[in-house]
Each structure stands twice: as C-alpha cells, then as structure tokens.
Amino acid sequence: MVLNRSRRTLIAGTWLNCGLYSLELAQAYIYFRTYRQDPAWTRYLVWFVLFCDTLGSLSSCALVYLVCQSTDEVPRAAKLTLPAVLRAILG
C-alpha cells in the first residue's frame, strides 16, 4: 500500500498517542493502588480524565483505520461524521 505524506503523519501521531496512553494507564494504575486515602473527588477526576482520553485514543485509531481503508485522499476522509467514527469503533 502506498501511503502519502498525510497518511504517514496520521499513523505516526496515532502510534505516539497510543504509546503515551499506555503510560497514562500505568500511571493511573499506580495512583489508584498507592493513594487510596485521597478524597473521592480526586479519584473521580482521574477516572473522568482517563475516560476522556480513552475516547480520544479510540477515535484517533478509528480515524486512521478509516483513512487507510479509503481510496480517496485524506481531506475527504477527514470530513467523517461522528456516527461513521462510532460505527468504526463499535464494529
């Protein structure tokens, strides 16, 4: 498969995002095991941030999948709607 420059950049950015997300998961795991006595609002805030970043990572992976499967150029594929991205995430 021949990838143009935009697609290569999207793939590299998504790989970097997934690597940083795995570090975030490790930090959250350590936080929840170590600081059990923290106030509840702090723990809920960490869960909320983790949830939002999970959605962001899933959507970026779905976008790269849809862009790489498309035979069109990236600008047309970048106009994907939210339902199309959600269908790609949920299968």
Side-chain angles (χ1 to χ4, degrees):
M1 174 185 359
V2 177
L3 296 176
N4 61 17
R5 184 179 221 167
S6 299
R7 289 181 179 160
R8 288 190 305 245
T9 305
L10 280 172
I11 291 171
T14 302
W15 274 87
L16 180 63
N17 180 31
C18 289
L20 292 174
Y21 178 69
S22 66
L23 292 176
E24 181 183 7
L25 286 176
Q27 284 183 328
Y29 176 76
I30 291 170
Y31 168 76
F32 285 117
R33 291 209 26 138
T34 306
Y35 299 102
R36 294 178 185 208
Q37 71 280 3
D38 275 359
W41 69 269
T42 307
R43 291 192 307 268
Y44 291 136
L45 181 65
V46 172
W47 275 115
F48 177 73
V49 169
L50 194 60
F51 175 74
C52 289
D53 203 24
T54 300
L55 289 180
S57 296
L58 285 175
S59 64
S60 67
C61 290
L63 178 67
V64 166
Y65 171 76
L66 292 173
V67 166
C68 288
Q69 294 299 319
S70 173
T71 57
D72 301 328
E73 290 299 317
V74 173
R76 181 172 176 208
K79 294 178 185 175
L80 295 170
T81 60
L82 181 61
V85 173
L86 289 176
R87 277 194 304 271
I89 292 172
L90 300 175

